[in-house]
Amino acid sequence: MKEEYITIENGRIEVNGTPVFTDLNLRIYKKQMIGFIFDSIVERRYLQEFMKGNLFLSEGKIYIENNRSDSLEAGKYLKNSVTFIEKESKLIEKLSIEENVFLFTRSEIMIQRRKYISDLKRLIQTFGLGLETQKKVRDITVKERVIIELLKAYAEQKKIIILSYMTGFLKKNELSDIFQFIKQMQKQGMTFIIVEQFENILFDWTDEVVVIRQGRTAAVFDSATVNREQLYSSLLSQKTKSIAGVDCFDMEEDEEREPVLKFENVCTDVLQDINLEIEVGEVLKIYYMDDESILNFIALLKGEKKPVSGKIVLNGREYSANHIIEAVNLGVCFIEESPYDNMLFYNMSVRDNLAMALSRKVPFFWFKNRFVRSVGQLTEPFNIDDIARIRLHRLEPATLQKIAYYKWYLYAPKVVVCIKPFTETDIHLQEITVEMISKLKSRGISIIILTPNYSELYRVDGDIIYLKNGKMIDENEVYQTLYKK
């Protein structure tokens, strides 16, 4: 018989009096691997807060290890028994690896470093890990950081580990190594919850997949038999609707069809002979296999770095930006990762966020009916009474995501560079991102998508370039790298 860690029946969770979950039903067993998919980033965040012991059931029942529990007891259990592994590191750089693993697991007053070292070696040997323990924490790789955090959870005798969107910061071969380690930890009684989007790891590694939709448990599937169509049908009651109406501006035709942006044998201290081109309204996707290559590529376009040889051509002229403001003025703009978090000003109104860039290009545009009418058409689906007064903190993530993209839609640059646009696990935000990229294309704006996640390459149509260690490589080499044994 399976041992239950947590059971929730007909759970209701409220935040500031507003219900977030109205019918939450979960069973989490010992030695289980569960996948969670959410249709809303808000629900994901608040369920994580609940699992951290920071939110409580206002209605429903909760059982802890088969015993009926009240909210305070359950919260204490969750705080002590659950840990999270996410994109952000939880390690302390000033401490050694062994101190990070063991320092907070024991009640001794004195630090016993020799014992920590011997205990860490024992764990590494037990699990067959190839971990270099002499490294400084600041020098470890992302994969090594995840392994150390897993060892820390094991040493602290955590019962449930929640792994949040690991495909966003680990490569495929690294994920495989991590899950082999996790399988060993499962045998020791630990349970793992994987929060992901529609990635293969949900099917390959979990026992079951739980779908959370509109505040309730919509479905629970056996991972061995479920397919993507079943998951989609349970998660999406209807397709995300496109914004109605004609585009606010007419797209100018490029009669000669010359590339808008072109790299001709571009070299830096990292990049080697990069050649690419993109035409009006096209999408170019760049899959990169190391951070240094793409950081150099972005620095070239932001004007933070110059080519050592070769040249970049924008709209028929050599590209000469010296910093990001010049890049924007020349027509190369950027949408950063998680733009609703990183690109907007929450102390400003919707209108001011949308207009900030355009007001530099078209002074006093609010006195020009054409632009006022265009902004009104764009924001009509937001259902906002007064875009000049409403501050962003009152809006949902989906609306904020649209605002981040519409900022450049109004500005109408030549090229928009989208950096890791599908990072979010919220499926609706991903659908909105696809929709907004299509809107930018319809405006005649060329799109460059930068992603380290191979599975994201086919969310949007367009040519693909593969980048590894500063060089352009072919798809066969990518395949050999990702799937080599």
Side-chain angles (χ1 to χ4, degrees), residues 74-85:
K76 185 178 179 180
Y77 176 87
L78 292 170
K79 281 182 182 292
N80 293 330
S81 302
V82 179
T83 193
F84 285 76
I85 294 180

Side-chain angles (χ1 to χ4, degrees), residues 103-345:
L103 185 58
F104 303 105
T105 64
R106 299 167 183 178
S107 57
E108 296 98 336
I109 297 175
M110 300 294 292
I111 295 175
Q112 301 183 40
R113 193 172 181 202
R114 286 185 179 179
K115 182 168 176 51
Y116 297 165
I117 292 172
S118 64
D119 286 352
L120 181 59
K121 287 181 179 178
R122 178 179 52 80
L123 284 182
I124 289 172
Q125 187 174 7
T126 298
F127 291 112
L129 301 171
L131 184 65
E132 297 179 32
T133 59
Q134 303 305 315
K135 277 187 176 182
K136 300 287 186 183
V137 170
R138 64 174 178 271
D139 296 328
I140 62 176
T141 65
V142 176
K143 173 187 166 183
E144 288 170 335
R145 188 264 296 177
V146 172
I147 289 173
I148 293 166
E149 290 190 15
L150 286 168
L151 288 172
K152 178 178 172 63
Y154 181 83
E156 292 176 348
Q157 298 183 335
K158 299 294 184 182
K159 297 181 178 180
I160 300 170
I161 299 178
I162 299 177
L163 307 163
S164 184
Y165 190 48
M166 291 204 302
T167 55
F169 56 90
L170 288 173
K171 295 182 175 64
K172 190 177 182 70
N173 59 332
E174 294 174 330
L175 281 168
S176 180
D177 293 341
I178 293 295
F179 276 106
Q180 293 294 346
F181 175 30
I182 285 173
K183 283 294 184 183
Q184 295 184 68
M185 298 179 77
Q186 264 188 288
K187 295 176 182 178
Q188 303 295 324
M190 302 180 77
T191 290
F192 294 85
I193 295 176
I194 303 169
V195 179
E196 273 293 345
Q197 51 195 24
F198 291 93
E199 301 294 345
N200 287 336
I201 65 169
L202 287 173
F203 304 90
D204 295 341
W205 294 101
T206 62
D207 305 312
E208 64 182 31
V209 178
V210 179
V211 178
I212 306 293
R213 177 177 175 272
Q214 294 183 356
R216 57 185 296 271
T217 304
V220 179
F221 294 106
D222 184 334
S223 300
T225 58
V226 69
N227 58 48
R228 288 173 182 260
E229 288 72 23
Q230 290 173 300
L231 285 173
Y232 270 113
S233 64
S234 67
L235 189 59
L236 300 172
S237 59
Q238 57 184 8
K239 292 182 179 179
T240 304
K241 293 183 179 179
S242 299
I243 295 176
V246 182
D247 290 330
C248 303
F249 304 97
D250 294 328
M251 187 182 94
E252 296 180 5
E253 294 185 3
D254 186 348
E255 295 179 356
E256 297 182 7
R257 302 297 294 172
E258 290 186 356
V260 173
L261 180 69
K262 190 173 184 180
F263 278 52
E264 298 179 354
N265 301 313
V266 171
C267 296
T268 67
D269 54 337
V270 174
L271 301 177
Q272 303 175 43
D273 294 319
I274 302 301
N275 290 278
L276 62 86
E277 58 182 52
I278 182 171
E279 294 186 357
V280 174
E282 287 189 340
V283 173
L284 176 66
K285 298 171 288 185
I286 299 180
Y287 170 65
Y288 60 92
M289 305 184 74
D290 66 291
D291 290 337
E292 194 170 8
S293 294
I294 209 64
L295 290 174
N296 263 253
F297 181 84
I298 294 170
L300 286 170
L301 291 178
K302 287 186 175 180
E304 298 167 353
K305 183 184 281 286
K306 297 290 184 182
V308 173
S309 62
K311 65 178 180 178
I312 303 171
V313 179
L314 178 70
N315 218 34
R317 296 182 178 181
E318 189 162 356
Y319 186 63
S320 58
N322 292 307
H323 48 72
I324 192 168
I325 295 176
E326 281 192 7
V328 172
N329 290 340
L330 289 170
V332 178
C333 299
F334 300 83
I335 295 178
E336 304 289 340
E337 180 182 359
S338 300
Y340 69 90
D341 269 342
N342 299 318
M343 285 182 57
L344 303 176
F345 296 90

Side-chain angles (χ1 to χ4, degrees), residues 3-22:
E3 294 182 46
E4 290 186 2
Y5 276 150
I6 302 169
T7 298
I8 298 173
E9 296 178 356
N10 308 119
R12 181 183 179 91
I13 299 175
E14 298 181 352
V15 178
N16 297 325
T18 302
V20 178
F21 298 99
T22 54

